[in-house]
Amino acid sequence: MNQDCLEKFFGIIRQVAGPNDHPSTPTYLQLYKILSVYSLIKPPKTGNCTILEENIPVITINDIRQITNQENKNSIRQEKVLKLKNKIDTIIEEGVWDIDDIFQEHNYFNRNSTVFDCVVYFLSGYINKKLNPNIKCKQCLDSLKPEYGQVIIPEAELVNLKTRGFLTHPNKNLYLIIQMIEVCFEKHAESPNVFEETCEDFFSRNFKLTFPCGDHKSEIITNIFVLYITMRMRQFSYAKNQQMKKQNKVKKKLSKLVST
């Protein structure tokens, strides 16, 4: 078997690596990918093929950039957010930022606080803090401030234990909305269309939301949905991956005990 071509290829890899003439496996794979793309972009100097226009590569960097970025098309994320915003426009009304009557069937804001309530309250404060830097409207900022005396409620116990003066207490109405989103998210967390199904479940309850600022009402509510559901999807995926790592570790140990 003639290995001249193989040795020549390895020589090219070592030459491309520069001073590192003993590349590791990840370095080799990266260099191989670079050479594969480079061979497509740059035409050969010799051969039995001719290029009609000189100094013009077969594939340009802009061609690859357009394929990867798809600048002329909206991303799936943007389409989902736009669809959510349009749906929120149909149910949200301008008025007093008060939604106690929406959740009158379920008294979420009660004295018998649970771990679930405390955790959701903690996450609501994080969302509240993420929203504030992007809001310029004073009316919107005032509507997201916590009410007087809210820091002593049972749901705020986790925040009060963890805070060193930097954690944020959420607005009560924001907390109630996020608590309902969390209930819907838990039902559809395993679904491949978790974002859409969570929103659909939330809106299927047929109630009207109110927000004091008429100019930014749909934008604020949409950001609440997007920020919270995206955050929960990341957390859920991370927890699932950690669980799978433990299961795979056990399976690897068991596989060593099985004779093949």
Side-chain angles (χ1 to χ4, degrees):
M1 180 179 177
N2 189 358
Q3 295 185 351
D4 291 343
C5 296
L6 185 62
E7 292 177 358
K8 181 180 178 181
F9 174 72
F10 286 148
I12 294 173
I13 293 292
R14 286 193 294 269
Q15 185 179 7
V16 173
N20 183 15
D21 56 353
H22 291 82
S24 60
T25 304
T27 306
Y28 166 78
L29 293 174
Q30 181 65 21
L31 293 174
Y32 179 76
K33 292 178 182 178
I34 293 174
L35 289 174
S36 300
V37 176
Y38 183 77
S39 62
L40 291 174
I41 295 176
K42 186 176 180 180
K45 294 181 179 179
T46 59
N48 58 355
C49 57
T50 58
I51 301 176
L52 299 178
E53 299 182 16
E54 296 182 356
N55 300 325
I56 295 181
V58 179
I59 300 176
T60 62
I61 297 295
N62 290 331
D63 294 335
I64 298 178
R65 189 175 298 166
Q66 289 178 1
I67 293 172
T68 55
N69 294 340
Q70 295 182 350
E71 297 176 351
N72 297 328
K73 296 182 180 179
N74 292 329
S75 64
I76 299 176
R77 175 188 174 91
Q78 291 175 341
E79 292 178 359
K80 291 181 179 179
V81 172
L82 183 61
K83 183 179 178 181
L84 173 62
K85 192 172 183 178
N86 293 334
K87 182 166 289 188
I88 287 176
D89 284 335
T90 61
I91 68 167
I92 193 169
E93 296 177 347
E94 183 179 356
V96 181
W97 178 229
D98 188 6
I99 55 175
D100 286 341
D101 55 335
I102 295 173
F103 301 96
Q104 57 186 354
E105 297 180 0
H106 306 281
N107 188 12
Y108 293 110
F109 224 68
N110 54 26
R111 294 182 180 179
N112 299 323
S113 175
T114 63
V115 175
F116 174 81
D117 299 326
C118 293
V119 172
V120 173
Y121 187 92
F122 182 89
L123 296 176
S124 302
Y126 172 77
I127 298 299
N128 207 146
K129 189 173 183 178
K130 292 283 287 184
L131 287 171
N132 288 337
N134 300 322
I135 299 176
K136 306 300 181 183
C137 177
K138 186 178 183 302
Q139 189 176 10
C140 294
L141 289 173
D142 292 339
S143 64
L144 293 176
K145 290 181 179 179
E147 298 179 359
Y148 178 76
Q150 186 177 319
V151 296
I152 61 174
I153 62 175
E155 287 82 356
E157 185 176 355
L158 177 61
V159 175
N160 293 330
L161 288 174
K162 298 283 290 183
T163 188
R164 294 182 179 178
F166 300 102
L167 295 181
T168 302
H169 287 268
N171 178 271
K172 183 183 73 170
N173 299 305
L174 173 64
Y175 163 71
L176 292 174
I177 288 179
I178 289 182
Q179 193 164 35
M180 181 60 69
I181 296 175
E182 176 62 27
V183 172
C184 299
F185 177 84
E186 287 183 347
K187 291 173 58 179
H188 308 286
E190 299 282 353
S191 172
N193 300 318
V194 56
F195 186 88
E196 295 90 339
E197 293 184 11
T198 300
C199 296
E200 289 293 336
D201 192 3
F202 184 92
F203 295 127
S204 65
R205 303 174 189 273
N206 297 323
F207 54 76
K208 292 286 185 180
L209 294 174
T210 57
F211 195 76
C213 181
D215 296 332
H216 308 109
K217 55 184 181 180
S218 60
E219 182 180 354
I220 298 296
I221 301 298
T222 302
N223 289 339
I224 292 172
F225 274 82
V226 173
L227 284 174
Y228 186 77
I229 297 177
T230 304
M231 178 190 67
R232 288 293 287 117
M233 289 169 65
R234 290 197 188 102
Q235 293 173 345
F236 184 80
S237 300
Y238 177 79
K240 278 292 182 181
N241 290 336
Q242 294 298 112
Q243 184 179 359
M244 290 300 298
K245 285 182 180 180
K246 293 181 180 179
Q247 293 178 358
N248 292 336
K249 188 176 181 180
V250 173
K251 289 180 180 179
K252 287 181 180 179
K253 289 183 178 180
L254 293 176
S255 64
K256 294 179 180 179
L257 302 176
V258 179
S259 59
T260 56

